Amino acid sequence: MSRKIRVLVAKPGLDGHDRGAKVVANALKDAGMEIIYTGLHQTAEMIAESAVQEDVDVVGLSILSGAHMTMFPRVMDLLREKGAEHIMVFGGGIIPEEDVEKLEKIGVSRIFGPGTDTGKIVEFINGRFQDED
Amino acid sequence: MRPGYDIPELLERFKKGQVSAAARLITILENGGIDAEAVLDGIFHMTSNAYRVGFTGPPGAGKSSLIFRLTKKFREKDKKIGIIAIDPTSPFSGGALLGDRIRMQALSDDPEVFVRSLASRGSLGGISNCTDEVTDLMDAFGKDLILIETVGVGQSELEIAEKAHTVVVILVPESGDGIQAMKAGLMEIGDIFVMNKADHKDAELAAMEIEDTLKLKKIADDAWRPRVILTSAKEDRGTGEFAGLIEEHRVYLEQSGLFLKKRRQILFSRVKNALMDKMERRLRASESVKNIMADRMDDVYEGRLSPFRLVHELEKIVTIK
């Protein structure tokens, strides 16, 4: 049996709008991936610990609250602490252009803004993992 | 990029209690093949009779929420908990949306609780094909109690009865006539029946109906009589009593000697199932079977040869002494 790409999709912080996260989770599922959806109001600690226990390849964070400059670095740090720096982190939500650059600098692989075609996200993730197995 | 892995090194780190190593070993078990066999070889001697509880019942009955509440109760008694939460794989895309963690998030900061979501990956019995092995791994990792949540099931997904010491069937008042339909399957495997959503106006009546159905069953005097309990996962009502019932069933199994018997049954059926799987895979891959079928299927299509007769011919090339 071949290995499936496993993705954790989480909503860190306080905003309660998870439509986008659900749309992405569903699109990735339809592309044959296994999605662990953890729901709303996650702390960075919960996300990192879940990602490790689930041995995911990818973490996708959706943030609309403006807390992205706190949340992304915190999740990245915790993953590193837990020996899981190999996990690819991507994001979505309302994130200003200048912050996108900063986030990519600290290792966030890609930020997908509102209106992104979900096919692009699928392609992006598949592109990272397809030359294996 | 996905990092490669080194099984002996992972096993070393696993023995030191590293969650990331345990998590990766589970992935290897899930993916099957020779590597999965090597992992099981490496940990099987470390399993030590962790108690296995299976939870089944229709989708939306509150399985995840109740498991969350129960885990909290068992943690008060300092039990180390492993949770295996299984959700269905889409037969169309091969993907899966594993959402059981949503109800259990408050557990992720407790280092003594290990939650793993598994996709059913084509298994039809309401669990994943690697459920036994993942349970072994959590057992070897030092968990005292392993809670296995099946995909929401109807009538035929009863495999959990072959994996667990205690089987809990979770129902809700809305199940209504659905309960009737389930009698043949689910009603026969439960050691404990939970009527969740006790705040619902029909909950007590529904629980009584279950009691009535169970009364029809012939049970020896000294045997375990399945119990029915009302709970509300939302309001955390009845959950302490529920935890107590699981404990009571465990004590019953131990004192009656059934615990060991059940453990043997579980292992016996595992060996049998694994053998069947392997044989089936070998048969499917067999070139000579394919060739004979390519030759002889026309005779079946044309009505000259019955399907059974062809199977007799095929059997001759399979040698089992």
Side-chain angles (χ1 to χ4, degrees), chain A residues 90-111:
Chain A
F90 76 97
I94 313 288
I95 294 169
E97 208 42 56
E98 63 266 31
D99 289 348
V100 169
E101 265 176 45
K102 285 182 203 158
L103 290 173
E104 287 178 353
K105 227 169 246 168
I106 64 161
V108 175
S109 65
R110 185 71 67 89
I111 299 290

Side-chain angles (χ1 to χ4, degrees), chain B residues 264-281:
Chain B
R264 285 169 169 237
Q265 274 171 358
I266 291 172
L267 289 170
F268 191 86
S269 71
R270 274 178 70 175
V271 171
K272 234 171 55 183
N273 293 342
L275 176 68
M276 296 301 165
D277 277 358
K278 201 145 220 181
M279 288 300 156
E280 189 183 325
R281 249 175 290 142

Side-chain angles (χ1 to χ4, degrees), chain A residues 1 3-4 6 29-30 32-37 42 49-50 52-55 57 86 128 132-133, chain B residues 1-2 23-24 27 30-31 93-98 101-102 105 108 113-117 119 121:
Chain A
M1 197 183 286
R3 185 167 175 184
K4 300 255 180 193
R6 285 170 68 89
K29 180 200 79 179
D30 288 343
M33 301 176 201
E34 291 182 355
I35 315 306
I36 293 98
Y37 186 68
Q42 304 291 295
E49 185 58 31
S50 300
V52 170
Q53 290 183 1
E54 298 288 354
D55 190 26
D57 308 293
H86 61 272
R128 287 290 183 106
E132 297 173 47
D133 300 331
Chain B
M1 292 302 102
R2 240 176 329 219
R24 176 57 49 86
T27 304
E30 268 199 282
N31 292 332
S93 70
L97 193 62
L98 312 172
R101 275 193 104 96
I102 297 174
Q105 272 308 295
S108 29
V113 180
F114 190 139
V115 184
R116 180 60 176 244
S117 315
R121 295 197 184 175

